[in-house]
Amino acid sequence: MGSPAAHNAQRYFVPAPSAWPFMLTAGLVALVVGVAGYLEHSQLTPALIWPGFLLAIVIIFLWFRGVARESETGQYGAQVDRTYRWGMSWFIFSEVMFFGAFFGALFYARGLSLPWLGGEGAKLATHVTLWPGFESVWPSNGPANLGGEFKTIPAFDVPLLNTIILLTSGFTITMAHHALKAGKRGVCILWMWATVALGASFLYFQAEEYIHAYHELNLTLGSGIYGSTFFMLTGFHGMHVTLGTLMLFVITLRLMAGHFKPESHFGFEGVAWYWHFVDVVWLGLFVVVYWL
Amino acid sequence: MAQAHDHNDHAHDAHGHDGHHGPDQGIMRWIKTTNHKDLGTLYLFFSFTMFFIGGLMSLVIRAELFHPGLQFVDPEFFNQMTTMHALVMIFGGVMPGFVGLANWMVPMMIGASDLALPRVNNWGFWILPFAFSMLISTLFMDGGAPAGGWTMYPPLVLQTGNAFPFLIFAVHLMGISSITGAINVVVTILNMRAPGMTLLKMPLFVWTWLITAYLLIAVMPVLAGAVTMLLTDKYFHTSFFTASGGGDPVMFQHIFWFFGHPEVYIMILPAFGIVSTIIPTFARKALFGYDSMVYATASIAFLSFIVWAHHMFTVGMPLTGELFFMFATMLIAVPTGVKVFNWVATMWKGSMTFETPMLFALGFVFLFSIGGFSGLMLAITPVDFQYHDTYFVVAHFHYVLVPGAVFSIIAAVYYWIPKWTGRMYNEAAGKWHFWLSAVFINLTFFPQHFAGLAGMQRRVPDYAVQFTDWNVMSTVGAFGFFVAQFIFVFNMLASCFGWFGRTQGLPDRVWEGAHGLEWTVASPAPYHTFEDPPQVGGDVLTAVHDESDALDHHKLV
Amino acid sequence: MSRHGWLGGWLARLGAATGLALASLAASAYTETSGGYNVPTGVTEISREVHGLHMAIFWVCVAIAVVVFGAMIWSIIFHRRSKHPKPADFHESTTVEIIWTSLPFVILIAIAVPAAATLIKMEDTRNADLSIKVTGYQWKWHYDYLGEDVAYFSTLTREINAARQLKSGIDPNSVPNYLVDVDNPLVVPVGKKVRFLVTSNDVIHAWWVPEIAVKKDAIPGYVNEIWTRIEQPGTYRGVCAELCGRDHGYMPIVVKALPEAEFIAWLAKAKGGEVAAAAPATTTTTDVPADAAPTATPAAQEVAAAAAPAAAAPSKDELMKQGENVYKAQCMACHQANGAGLPPNFPALAGSKVANGPAQDHVLQVVKGKPGGGGMMPPFAQLSDADVAAVVTYERASWGNSGSVVLPADVTAARK
Ligand code: HEA
Ligand code: HEA
Ligand code: CUA
Ligand SMILES: [Cu+2]
């Protein structure tokens, strides 16, 4: 039996019953149970990690392919299009709040806890009785000098390069968008490949940075609050870039497969929004993590 | 909840009639469903189950506290019960309960055919049973379940045994579920209202849920971030919450409560919506001050972001911080007051009758207010130094949560179950349920105020003998309340599965005083409603049944 | 519209009433001591102010409740359909909305002002006469009189510790000050401004004594300041108010306020090592060397006595006997009577590496603890050499452990 839309174009598209969500959950849960077991050195559950991961990936692929088909076969009206726009916006908002937690931690450490440990503000006794002689500077790995001496990555080096890369990629994807709207599919695809390439190179440099940090600079997750905030923020950003690049890649393939129309192509725009979000987060990182 | 039944039959004879794909059969129907009514039913049954598991845990707590001395459980296990009880009740009971109600009612109230993203909706639900199996399974692991309190403060929580990563990932999963659910509700409300259903015509339940969903999307990710930092502190040598590395254990508390305080309003705003729907119905009088209700809700939501540290008055914040959070917290009494006053004004010169939903709604207004008053007392920083982490706090939040949030869920279920199942519940049993619940819940939690003021601290399995009286009462009340809930179970299952078989002839508008689109469709509501949007004109709500709905109508009523 | 009128309505209420009656009956049947029901007025200026604020805000809430609930009950009685068949149709009024928005606002300001004033006083820890560092451990308190070199641990008394064990069979009511008595109370002078520097060694605790309206969290790695000036001599009891793990309920606080002269005398004695001497109010008053005092067990004294004159080393039996006492009092809560522990947090001693390895390490583990990370073993530095020797010997010789005798002398040596 088809969906209501098959009977009345005006009706909102309500998908037929689907096993994807349930299987996606199963995959995810297998994955996290596996990881949890691994963290606690359990014998059994780590075996679940890869099956779970694969299941999740496969389902995500099937799900998105299904959505793409529904969209291409014109089952979505304007209203569904608005749904996706709202949905994506709110999703990105939730992502912003997620990063907010880690930025909050960074500001708290720099603005409150380190100064307190260093004897500034309301907590003089803390400094005098527990951490005499510690003076609060940034970067810091705390009064116990956790993880030993370390050096930081200068902002106006590779990070600057990465900033330029991401900004450029923001530009190229916009160009691609214009091309798509102007119906110049070929041009659009070229700009998209450029964007994908930029995303990939960002990741390459980021990886280099990490290796450099761990091997030459002795800057690790264990380097006190600096290492913690540095890797947590840049790390989660990196994951988002990875995801974004993948999404750009898929969109590019879809463009080559003839998907999207000049007037309706939210799949494309959604990814573009996401990419811009990743871009903006990086600017924040560049300023408060690398530069200041 | 009787969709289970009606719709199997329905699906049978519905074969091939236009505009409908009948649901799958048997268990697969529930696993694969994209129907907001099915999912609402699933959410409600899940919530129901969790409420009882959490309830049983609370009985372990109360049994141990019945008398001074350690009679039944090891202190460590007691702390596990306290922690799990709270996690199960909040994330498994109240939140899914409200989401279930939103699933069922929001589309019907705004004239939408379903939630905006039905498959995501299914995903959001099915995460929960897995997440909670994970969480509850920790009870059987080495070192037992998490025992650091639902607030998960480090460094204590880092002493958790093998359960630790399972706790963290369970919280992550619940977060995914809540966020997807919330996005679904927001998008549905913003994008799928029937023509003429302007924002300021929406029922208050829809309004409060819109704002609740916004809060959820804003703070659940923050919780996810907080517990992620716990995870890395434990396994990956980070030092967010360790002074020697430049971090601060108190930093976690700030991040947690930035989530935690809005969270408590997440658990009460939909309740406000429910009460604002039920009281006008049985007072037969329009809700007083609709607009001010909306603005009050919005300002409560706004304020909830700037009061979090009132949970942390004793951590040694700088004076200015303590003053700011005291004032901000006290402010919340104002918009909440507006709501209470509006409810009273709605009843004023109404023409009231007291069916069970109304009883629970009125119980809510009384008892929530009492919880609110104690909340206001807690807000006074210098005095909170005496209240903090005592049973006075426990009494406060149970007053707002149990006769608050839980009563509202119960009221909503009584109010809408005729629409869901096409069968009226048993009124006499309902009244018994209310009066017993009302009496026992007060017997349970009122004495805790005194125990707390007299100096009994929270989270202890044993206490100095002078607190015995209060605890004896509290325990007796707790068992009484728990038992009383079985009347409810019986009553609900009865109308779900028609044990009294009263199926015939419930009118569309089940309650004579009721208004709103949900009362313009058949009882039980057909599997698909408002596939073609109704026209909403003026203050009159008229629904255009499409012929297939009409068919259902004949089949099902 | 009460479909089942009498059955649903009145009978239900009747039933509920009987429910209440029965419940309270059941309750009264079990009630024992009748304790307080309100925040204590306390013995400091601050505590009285706090109590005043508490009562003020309470009555404000009562007043508002009377008005709001009054109106509700009124309309429930008189605006029910049977009495008031035709509902009025008003549903908004900007004026009343404004009134009941601004009125509460004014009330709140009236409360906020005095509250702020008191708060500011509480936070002013400047120019104190005496500073005491309070450190929370899992699960006991350590007090350090800064600049006086008097420092000692304060733990639950052994009587209570025995009674509070699961199914101990000891009736709590038969134990004086059940759960709120310690071996060595904190001793402070009356009339002086005493400043507490509160911190923690492991997890977060909270140092709370209601009578002086002091509650401050003990945060590991940070120090919180709070002060008090007690006006009347006496013994004031409190508890740890922040969940700190398994025995959170078993780390009480006892403050003994002495007149200044007596306090000075005590301080002098304490410097000489007789901390516990100042604790007449508490149940274990023993006059033994300071290092032994905190957990002074009768056995400990025998040994101390025995050891004193001819430095005759105690026999293994003596050590085992005394060791068992110390173990019950100090270690059993976590490592369990059968030495099986509660893994993974509380490792087993039966067959453990430490208990079968070099005695030296075992002793140090007990004295210094195993801090940091997930490690929860607190230091037991306060135990006398005799006690340490005894308990270590006991642990090494029980539950099938290989067993080797450790003498107080060995401990003294190890401690150096
Ligand atoms: C549904 C959940 C819910 C709700 C609605 C509230 C509502 C409020 N809460 Fe509560 N609270 C909790 C759940 C909730 N709380 C929980 C779970 C905890 C403990 C967490 C933990 O530690 O485990 C907690 C703890 C808590 C604390 C910390 C206590 C401590 O640990 O020391 C404080 C302190 O300020 C507080 C304050 C308030 C206030 C001011 C309100 C206000 O919103 C109340 C406003 C309502 C009214 C005031 C009544 C109606 C108003 C009128 C009739 C108008 C006129 C009234 C006046 C002018 C006074 N709450
Ligand atoms: C919504 C949340 C919620 C609910 C419902 C409850 C319900 C109860 N709670 Fe709990 N409780 C908390 C949240 C809640 N609690 C929290 C957050 C804490 C703090 C934990 C911590 O310190 O870390 C706590 C702690 C807490 C303590 C203190 C423990 C300690 O400090 O050591 C105690 C002690 O008496 C207690 C008792 C009870 C009792 C007797 C009930 C009884 O009301 C239980 C009986 C209830 C039911 C049986 C459910 C009935 C509901 C229905 C029938 C609805 C039907 C649903 C549908 C139709 C969908 N709770
Ligand atoms: Cu120490 Cu609780
Ligand atoms: Cu709060």
Short mmCIF file of all heavy atoms in Angstrom, two decimals, chain C residues 115-142:
data_model
loop_
_atom_site.label_atom_id
_atom_site.label_comp_id
_atom_site.label_asym_id
_atom_site.label_seq_id
_atom_site.Cartn_x
_atom_site.Cartn_y
_atom_site.Cartn_z
N ALA C 115 17.48 39.21 53.51
CA ALA C 115 18.24 38.00 53.19
C ALA C 115 19.64 38.37 52.72
O ALA C 115 20.64 37.83 53.18
CB ALA C 115 17.51 37.20 52.12
N ALA C 116 19.71 39.34 51.81
CA ALA C 116 21.01 39.76 51.28
C ALA C 116 21.89 40.26 52.42
O ALA C 116 23.07 39.90 52.52
CB ALA C 116 20.81 40.84 50.23
N ALA C 117 21.31 41.05 53.31
CA ALA C 117 22.10 41.60 54.41
C ALA C 117 22.75 40.47 55.21
O ALA C 117 23.96 40.47 55.43
CB ALA C 117 21.20 42.44 55.31
N THR C 118 21.95 39.47 55.61
CA THR C 118 22.49 38.36 56.39
C THR C 118 23.58 37.64 55.60
O THR C 118 24.67 37.35 56.12
CB THR C 118 21.38 37.36 56.73
OG1 THR C 118 20.32 38.07 57.37
CG2 THR C 118 21.89 36.27 57.64
N LEU C 119 23.31 37.41 54.33
CA LEU C 119 24.26 36.67 53.51
C LEU C 119 25.62 37.37 53.51
O LEU C 119 26.67 36.75 53.71
CB LEU C 119 23.73 36.54 52.08
CG LEU C 119 24.59 35.70 51.13
CD1 LEU C 119 24.74 34.29 51.68
CD2 LEU C 119 23.99 35.68 49.74
N ILE C 120 25.56 38.69 53.36
CA ILE C 120 26.82 39.44 53.31
C ILE C 120 27.61 39.23 54.61
O ILE C 120 28.81 38.98 54.59
CB ILE C 120 26.53 40.94 53.04
CG1 ILE C 120 26.01 41.09 51.61
CG2 ILE C 120 27.77 41.77 53.26
CD1 ILE C 120 25.37 42.42 51.31
N LYS C 121 26.90 39.27 55.74
CA LYS C 121 27.58 39.03 57.02
C LYS C 121 28.24 37.65 57.03
O LYS C 121 29.39 37.48 57.42
CB LYS C 121 26.58 39.10 58.17
CG LYS C 121 26.31 40.50 58.69
CD LYS C 121 25.56 40.42 60.02
CE LYS C 121 24.50 41.50 60.10
NZ LYS C 121 23.41 41.16 61.02
N MET C 122 27.47 36.64 56.59
CA MET C 122 27.98 35.27 56.67
C MET C 122 29.26 35.10 55.89
O MET C 122 30.15 34.34 56.27
CB MET C 122 26.94 34.28 56.12
CG MET C 122 25.69 34.17 56.95
SD MET C 122 24.49 33.15 56.09
CE MET C 122 24.44 31.72 57.15
N GLU C 123 29.37 35.86 54.78
CA GLU C 123 30.52 35.66 53.90
C GLU C 123 31.75 36.46 54.35
O GLU C 123 32.80 36.36 53.73
CB GLU C 123 30.14 36.03 52.47
CG GLU C 123 29.10 35.10 51.85
CD GLU C 123 29.64 33.69 51.65
OE1 GLU C 123 30.87 33.51 51.56
OE2 GLU C 123 28.82 32.75 51.61
N ASP C 124 31.61 37.25 55.41
CA ASP C 124 32.73 38.09 55.83
C ASP C 124 33.62 37.35 56.82
O ASP C 124 33.40 37.38 58.03
CB ASP C 124 32.20 39.38 56.44
CG ASP C 124 33.34 40.26 56.93
OD1 ASP C 124 34.52 39.88 56.71
OD2 ASP C 124 33.05 41.30 57.54
N THR C 125 34.67 36.69 56.30
CA THR C 125 35.50 35.85 57.18
C THR C 125 36.73 36.61 57.68
O THR C 125 37.67 35.99 58.17
CB THR C 125 35.97 34.61 56.40
OG1 THR C 125 36.60 35.07 55.19
CG2 THR C 125 34.82 33.71 56.05
N ARG C 126 36.75 37.92 57.53
CA ARG C 126 37.97 38.65 57.88
C ARG C 126 38.22 38.64 59.39
O ARG C 126 37.36 38.29 60.18
CB ARG C 126 37.89 40.09 57.37
CG ARG C 126 38.17 40.20 55.88
CD ARG C 126 37.75 41.56 55.38
NE ARG C 126 36.34 41.84 55.69
CZ ARG C 126 35.79 43.03 55.58
NH1 ARG C 126 36.51 44.07 55.22
NH2 ARG C 126 34.50 43.20 55.86
N ASN C 127 39.45 39.06 59.76
CA ASN C 127 39.99 39.08 61.12
C ASN C 127 39.35 38.12 62.11
O ASN C 127 38.62 38.50 63.00
CB ASN C 127 40.05 40.52 61.69
CG ASN C 127 38.77 41.30 61.39
OD1 ASN C 127 37.68 40.77 61.56
ND2 ASN C 127 38.93 42.50 60.90
N ALA C 128 39.66 36.85 61.90
CA ALA C 128 39.22 35.81 62.83
C ALA C 128 40.24 35.65 63.96
O ALA C 128 41.41 36.00 63.80
CB ALA C 128 39.08 34.49 62.10
N ASP C 129 39.79 35.15 65.13
CA ASP C 129 40.70 34.95 66.26
C ASP C 129 41.41 33.62 66.17
O ASP C 129 42.49 33.43 66.73
CB ASP C 129 39.90 35.00 67.57
CG ASP C 129 39.10 36.28 67.67
OD1 ASP C 129 39.67 37.36 67.38
OD2 ASP C 129 37.89 36.20 67.96
N LEU C 130 40.79 32.67 65.49
CA LEU C 130 41.36 31.32 65.45
C LEU C 130 40.97 30.68 64.12
O LEU C 130 39.84 30.83 63.67
CB LEU C 130 40.80 30.48 66.60
CG LEU C 130 41.07 28.98 66.60
CD1 LEU C 130 42.55 28.69 66.79
CD2 LEU C 130 40.26 28.30 67.70
N SER C 131 41.93 30.03 63.46
CA SER C 131 41.63 29.37 62.19
C SER C 131 41.84 27.87 62.30
O SER C 131 42.86 27.42 62.80
CB SER C 131 42.55 29.92 61.08
OG SER C 131 42.17 31.25 60.79
N ILE C 132 40.83 27.13 61.86
CA ILE C 132 40.92 25.67 61.91
C ILE C 132 40.70 25.13 60.51
O ILE C 132 39.74 25.49 59.84
CB ILE C 132 39.86 25.09 62.87
CG1 ILE C 132 40.05 25.66 64.27
CG2 ILE C 132 39.94 23.57 62.87
CD1 ILE C 132 38.96 25.26 65.24
N LYS C 133 41.64 24.27 60.08
CA LYS C 133 41.49 23.65 58.77
C LYS C 133 40.70 22.36 58.94
O LYS C 133 41.06 21.50 59.74
CB LYS C 133 42.86 23.36 58.16
CG LYS C 133 42.80 22.71 56.80
CD LYS C 133 44.12 22.86 56.06
CE LYS C 133 44.16 21.95 54.83
NZ LYS C 133 45.25 20.96 54.90
N VAL C 134 39.59 22.25 58.22
CA VAL C 134 38.71 21.10 58.31
C VAL C 134 38.84 20.31 57.01
O VAL C 134 38.57 20.85 55.94
CB VAL C 134 37.25 21.53 58.51
CG1 VAL C 134 36.34 20.33 58.55
CG2 VAL C 134 37.11 22.37 59.77
N THR C 135 39.29 19.05 57.10
CA THR C 135 39.47 18.26 55.89
C THR C 135 38.59 17.03 55.92
O THR C 135 38.61 16.27 56.89
CB THR C 135 40.95 17.83 55.75
OG1 THR C 135 41.78 18.98 55.93
CG2 THR C 135 41.19 17.23 54.37
N GLY C 136 37.81 16.84 54.85
CA GLY C 136 36.95 15.68 54.77
C GLY C 136 37.68 14.50 54.17
O GLY C 136 38.47 14.66 53.23
N TYR C 137 37.50 13.34 54.77
CA TYR C 137 38.03 12.09 54.23
C TYR C 137 36.86 11.14 54.08
O TYR C 137 35.85 11.28 54.76
CB TYR C 137 39.03 11.45 55.19
CG TYR C 137 40.38 12.12 55.26
CD1 TYR C 137 40.54 13.30 55.95
CD2 TYR C 137 41.47 11.55 54.63
CE1 TYR C 137 41.78 13.90 56.03
CE2 TYR C 137 42.72 12.15 54.71
CZ TYR C 137 42.87 13.33 55.41
OH TYR C 137 44.10 13.92 55.49
N GLN C 138 36.99 10.12 53.19
CA GLN C 138 36.01 9.04 53.19
C GLN C 138 36.36 8.11 54.34
O GLN C 138 37.36 7.41 54.26
CB GLN C 138 36.04 8.29 51.86
CG GLN C 138 35.33 9.04 50.75
CD GLN C 138 35.49 8.36 49.41
OE1 GLN C 138 36.58 7.96 49.05
NE2 GLN C 138 34.40 8.21 48.67
N TRP C 139 35.72 8.07 55.47
CA TRP C 139 34.60 8.84 55.90
C TRP C 139 34.84 9.29 57.31
O TRP C 139 34.44 8.66 58.27
CB TRP C 139 33.34 7.99 55.81
CG TRP C 139 32.98 7.69 54.39
CD1 TRP C 139 32.21 8.47 53.57
CD2 TRP C 139 33.36 6.57 53.60
NE1 TRP C 139 32.09 7.89 52.32
CE2 TRP C 139 32.80 6.72 52.31
CE3 TRP C 139 34.18 5.45 53.83
CZ2 TRP C 139 32.99 5.80 51.28
CZ3 TRP C 139 34.36 4.53 52.79
CH2 TRP C 139 33.77 4.72 51.55
N LYS C 140 35.60 10.36 57.44
CA LYS C 140 35.90 10.95 58.75
C LYS C 140 36.38 12.37 58.52
O LYS C 140 36.61 12.78 57.38
CB LYS C 140 36.96 10.13 59.46
CG LYS C 140 38.21 9.91 58.63
CD LYS C 140 39.22 9.07 59.39
CE LYS C 140 40.32 8.56 58.49
NZ LYS C 140 40.21 7.12 58.22
N TRP C 141 36.50 13.11 59.60
CA TRP C 141 36.96 14.50 59.48
C TRP C 141 38.32 14.66 60.13
O TRP C 141 38.64 13.97 61.08
CB TRP C 141 35.97 15.44 60.15
CG TRP C 141 34.65 15.51 59.46
CD1 TRP C 141 33.51 14.84 59.82
CD2 TRP C 141 34.32 16.27 58.29
NE1 TRP C 141 32.50 15.14 58.95
CE2 TRP C 141 32.96 16.02 58.00
CE3 TRP C 141 35.04 17.14 57.46
CZ2 TRP C 141 32.31 16.59 56.92
CZ3 TRP C 141 34.38 17.72 56.38
CH2 TRP C 141 33.04 17.44 56.12
N HIS C 142 39.11 15.58 59.59
CA HIS C 142 40.40 15.88 60.18
C HIS C 142 40.42 17.37 60.53
O HIS C 142 40.04 18.20 59.72
CB HIS C 142 41.53 15.55 59.22
CG HIS C 142 42.90 15.80 59.79
ND1 HIS C 142 43.57 16.98 59.58
CD2 HIS C 142 43.69 15.02 60.58
CE1 HIS C 142 44.74 16.92 60.21
NE2 HIS C 142 44.83 15.75 60.82
#
